[in-house]
Amino acid sequence: MTNSPLVSVSKVRKSYGRAGSSGGTPVLRGVSLDVARGEFVALMGASGSGKTTLLNLVGGIDSTDEGSIHVDGTALESMTDDSRSAFRLRNIGFVFQFFNLLPNLTVKENISLPLLFLGVKEGAAHRSANEAANEVGLGDKTERLVHQLSGGEMQRVGIARALVHKPKLLLADEPTGNLDSRTGKSILELLRSVGTTHHLTILMATHDMGAAESCDRVVRMADGQVTDEPSKP
Ligand SMILES: Nc1ncnc2c1ncn2[C@@H]1O[C@H](COP(=O)(O)OP(=O)(O)O)[C@@H](O)[C@H]1O
Ligand SMILES: [Mg+2]
């Protein structure tokens, strides 16, 4: 099991518009992709190529029409929606382009949320949140309201929130897409370093040409398909 890929996507098809695989507009047209344990993979491709759809399927937010997705040996398509949600809460962290933080809560409170959802008591959740804040360089800002932070700081909160419950897999959807290039670079470096520290597997959709430097491998998508799987350029 330890040598098996953490994420294994096989011949996945997904359409939107109508239930089932026969109707609607095909968005993923037979995607296969493995991500090894501890690997940092950048998923690149034009807008509309299906990157977000694929991340949502791997994260169990949405379900496939055809094909299979295994995360850490668990077949997501054979789970009920509820058990998939529970699996996601325990095993996966998400980082978003627009951060998806609660602006009127503090840094510490935002980072605590996944733990509270998992039933951790508030005191323990806040202690873990403070540790995660330290790790992303926000140890001195844990009591700040999130709306008072810069974009780069907000994304650091987003990364701390994605890490706080010690997931195996981190999914990031254009995490630098709303940041200037210098801040984006520091966010990519932070993802790289927390990934290494925590032996995380990271799958990141991005347009950022600098991403290739921070990650282990670039996978390209076009029109709902993986077009190549070259090693790092
Ligand atoms: N919920 C949805 N309903 C209908 N169409 C969707 C939905 N989500 C995405 N799409 C369509 O699927 C295609 C791929 O979208 P997406 O996965 O967001 O691509 P990317 O993240 O690479 O820009 C686009 O044509 C988009 O319009
Ligand atoms: Mg997208």
Side-chain angles (χ1 to χ4, degrees):
M1 182 68 87
T2 348
N3 289 327
S4 64
L6 186 85
V7 177
S8 184
V9 176
S10 178
K11 298 177 184 162
V12 162
R13 293 180 176 273
K14 177 72 181 174
S15 296
Y16 286 115
R18 272 181 42 198
S21 55
S22 51
T25 313
V27 173
L28 297 183
R29 302 184 299 142
V31 170
S32 298
L33 169 68
D34 282 356
V35 186
R37 290 166 196 273
E39 195 178 22
F40 184 177
V41 170
L43 197 56
M44 301 191 88
S47 189
S49 56
K51 303 181 299 296
T52 295
T53 302
L54 181 59
L55 289 183
N56 288 343
L57 295 177
V58 172
I61 288 173
D62 205 350
S63 56
T64 54
D65 294 337
E66 280 180 47
S68 73
I69 298 181
H70 287 76
V71 176
D72 201 19
T74 300
L76 300 187
E77 67 279 1
S78 62
M79 301 171 99
T80 62
D81 287 354
D82 283 352
S83 54
R84 220 172 41 234
S85 296
F87 182 83
R88 176 173 69 242
L89 276 174
R90 272 198 312 279
N91 296 297
I92 301 177
F94 274 93
V95 179
F96 303 93
Q97 178 173 0
F98 297 104
F99 322 128
N100 292 20
L101 302 170
L102 296 173
N104 295 319
L105 295 186
T106 65
V107 167
K108 178 178 75 186
E109 287 164 343
N110 269 277
I111 299 173
S112 298
L113 287 174
L115 294 175
L116 299 179
F117 281 126
L118 285 167
V120 174
K121 296 242 161 44
E122 196 175 71
H126 285 176
R127 280 192 295 281
S128 299
N130 284 336
E131 274 174 37
N134 260 327
E135 228 188 312
V136 299
L138 292 176
D140 56 342
K141 295 193 170 138
T142 55
E143 303 300 331
R144 288 276 183 95
L145 296 177
V146 156
H147 72 77
Q148 300 169 330
L149 302 178
S150 70
E153 289 170 337
M154 287 186 196
Q155 195 57 298
R156 285 172 186 272
V157 177
I159 292 169
R161 180 188 55 185
L163 289 176
V164 73
H165 59 305
K166 310 230 180 298
K168 296 188 170 113
L169 174 64
L170 206 123
L171 298 174
D173 197 355
E174 313 266 4
T176 64
N178 201 38
L179 303 173
D180 65 75
S181 62
R182 182 151 39 129
T183 307
K185 190 159 185 279
S186 73
I187 289 297
L188 291 174
E189 282 166 6
L190 178 63
L191 283 171
R192 165 96 266 169
S193 86
V194 297
T196 305
T197 308
H198 295 279
H199 307 291
L200 276 170
T201 304
I202 305 179
L203 181 58
M204 170 180 75
T206 185
H207 281 106
D208 197 322
M209 295 314 285
E213 284 171 34
S214 304
C215 66
D216 299 315
R217 184 159 60 106
V218 175
V219 171
R220 289 176 202 286
M221 280 188 79
D223 294 332
Q225 289 181 307
V226 168
T227 54
D228 60 355
E229 254 189 76
S231 45
K232 187 170 176 171

